[in-house]
Amino acid sequence: MKQDLIVILDLGSTQNTVLAREIRKLGVYSEIHPHDITAQELQAFGNVKGIILNGGENRVVDGQAVDVRPEIYGLGCPVMSVDHPMSKCATQLPQLPDGKTLEKFLFEDCRAQANWNMKNFIEDQVGLIRQQVGDKKVLLALSGGVDSSVVAGMLVKAVGQQLVCVHVNHGLMRKNESESVVKVFRDELHANLVYVDASERFLAKLENVQDPEQKRKIIGGEFIRVFEEEAGKLEGIEFLGQGTIYPDIIESGTKTAKMVKSHHNVGGLPEDLKFQLVEPLKQLFKDEVRACGVELGLPHDMVYRQPFPGPGLGVRCLGAITRERLEAVRESDAILREEFAKAGLDKKVWQYFTVVPEFKSVGMKNNARVFEYMVIIRAINTIDAMTASIEKVDWDVLEKVTERILSEVEGVNRVCYDMSPKPPATIEFE
Ligand code: XMP
């Protein structure tokens, strides 16, 4: 192991991630584990320099205060107990108010090295993946999103041709997105990539389907079927790579914290696929996943891309999807992204995209009446996607985007800017 490890044992604190980030900020790698982890499991990590028992408001479970196994005190590394003022527990642990105490614990008591960086993290993970996988094969559903791309980069580095990536193009990807996945992973990283163009199959299934939830279900369900079909053609696969990241685990609930939402990775692949999971990013926060991608040499655009919903442009081509309107969404989205990048807004605005509603309006083109679709531009800022405010986009940028959409996108005669915050609107339209 390259990196020293400080283990945080979760005694019901909601501040575990804050503490882990504080420690990582000081250059020391930190992981959060359940309070009932055994001494043997801790020993197996091989690099534990210190343990912090992190108490908090959820320490009492079913009327009883949870505690660690006494044997962990015998591991020979320093143990510090901390608590948070909100704790409802009668037997309070001491509080941690300042950074100095933490620094003293890390560097004086534990003698930890500040050697947490992405280069070392990748080296550690590559070693662990090789140990776990041996000479067996790993399957990965590579959507082209940040998390699956970074996992793919990591697995290519660790096991090379033993990794089989499957990229399913559901026909609802943004302009050049699937092409970029193939270019980066097959052509540049020489990954073993199966590219499945299932566009026609998805579009056929979605024909005349108007209801947003039904559209989502069809897209998700069909994705699983295509993926399973491809997996069925491969032999000797024992492992499934997953782009699980730390917030996914937290939101799925821990032994002391309640579930926020169940986490479905890779479009909710069924558990009965019967593979062992390889999840090398499961201890990383989103910004660290991006830093890991950069260190692995993935393109900046891929690593810093804005959030994009799993059902893709399918939820931005409102109502029943038609090829004509899907193309209008795809082309207008590409223009918006290009102009936002030119104006430097791609680094400032959290999410920006276009949608095309089902209805038409009257207009004039070449001195003749036309009856065509409209493009709606949406640009929002948010911290956690739970609420969102509107970006006050510079008028000149909006004019330029409008001008280009009206002249370059077929079948469109009107462009609108959505002014609605969330709530009451949601970020997406469907
Ligand atoms: P809403 O529309 O709920 O969106 O305000 C919040 C954030 O989630 C993204 N989003 C999705 N992401 N699958 C995803 O992976 C989905 O079905 C989905 N729906 C919405 C949305 O783009 C926004 O960032």
Side-chain angles (χ1 to χ4, degrees), residues 216 307-311 316 350-351 385 422 426-428:
R216 271 198 161 73
F308 185 58
R316 296 178 183 170
W350 201 82
Q351 200 172 8
K422 174 181 180 175
T426 50
I427 295 174
E428 304 286 348

Side-chain angles (χ1 to χ4, degrees), residues 85 104 112 243 306 340 346 355 360 423:
K104 182 185 167 301
Q306 52 168 321
F340 264 40
D346 56 334
V355 301
K360 293 180 175 180

Side-chain angles (χ1 to χ4, degrees), residues 194-327:
V194 179
Y195 170 68
V196 191
D197 184 355
S199 315
E200 290 303 322
R201 180 170 165 169
F202 275 81
L203 292 183
K205 283 262 171 199
L206 288 163
E207 208 173 334
N208 300 322
V209 180
Q210 275 198 311
D211 177 64
E213 277 312 302
Q214 215 191 332
K215 283 166 70 178
R216 271 198 161 73
K217 277 193 190 128
I218 290 172
I219 298 166
E222 204 56 18
F223 178 86
I224 291 168
R225 265 186 291 280
V226 174
F227 187 78
E228 280 187 318
E229 278 170 30
E230 292 305 319
K233 292 180 198 162
L234 303 165
E235 280 183 10
I237 306 272
E238 291 195 16
F239 293 89
L240 183 72
Q242 290 247 56
T244 314
I245 69 171
Y246 198 69
D248 297 336
I249 292 177
I250 290 293
E251 288 185 351
S252 297
T254 62
K255 284 182 180 164
T256 55
K258 289 199 178 62
M259 184 178 89
V260 179
K261 62 177 181 193
S262 65
H263 115 82
H264 286 287
N265 241 301
V266 207
L269 290 175
E271 278 174 18
D272 62 4
L273 273 174
K274 301 219 170 51
F275 298 120
Q276 285 185 59
L277 296 181
V278 186
E279 300 175 294
L281 309 181
K282 71 175 178 207
Q283 290 290 344
L284 295 189
F285 297 98
K286 193 76 180 187
D287 55 324
E288 294 171 336
V289 173
R290 295 189 205 276
C292 183
V294 170
E295 184 65 36
L296 285 163
L298 299 181
H300 184 275
D301 283 359
M302 188 171 261
V303 169
Y304 282 93
R305 71 176 219 159
Q306 52 168 321
F308 185 58
L313 300 181
V315 290
R316 296 178 183 170
C317 183
L318 307 185
I321 297 170
T322 63
R323 284 165 204 267
E324 187 191 16
R325 283 190 305 112
L326 184 58
E327 215 35 45

Side-chain angles (χ1 to χ4, degrees), residues 8-17 32-37 54-62 64-68 88-89 246 249-260:
I8 297 169
L9 294 187
D10 171 23
L11 281 173
S13 174
T14 54
Q15 303 295 309
N16 291 317
T17 52
I32 304 157
H33 287 279
H35 62 88
D36 56 357
I37 191 167
N54 201 27
E57 43 278 55
N58 299 321
R59 190 163 170 213
V60 179
V61 178
D62 297 332
Q64 272 211 311
V66 295
D67 217 334
V68 294
K88 293 190 202 94
C89 189
Y246 198 69
I249 292 177
I250 290 293
E251 288 185 351
S252 297
T254 62
K255 284 182 180 164
T256 55
K258 289 199 178 62
M259 184 178 89
V260 179

Side-chain angles (χ1 to χ4, degrees), residues 42 130 169 186 211 218 275 295 297 320 336 342 372 405:
L42 285 168
R130 286 183 183 153
N169 179 358
R186 187 184 282 167
D211 177 64
I218 290 172
F275 298 120
E295 184 65 36
L336 182 73
K342 277 191 213 159
E372 292 182 330
I405 290 175

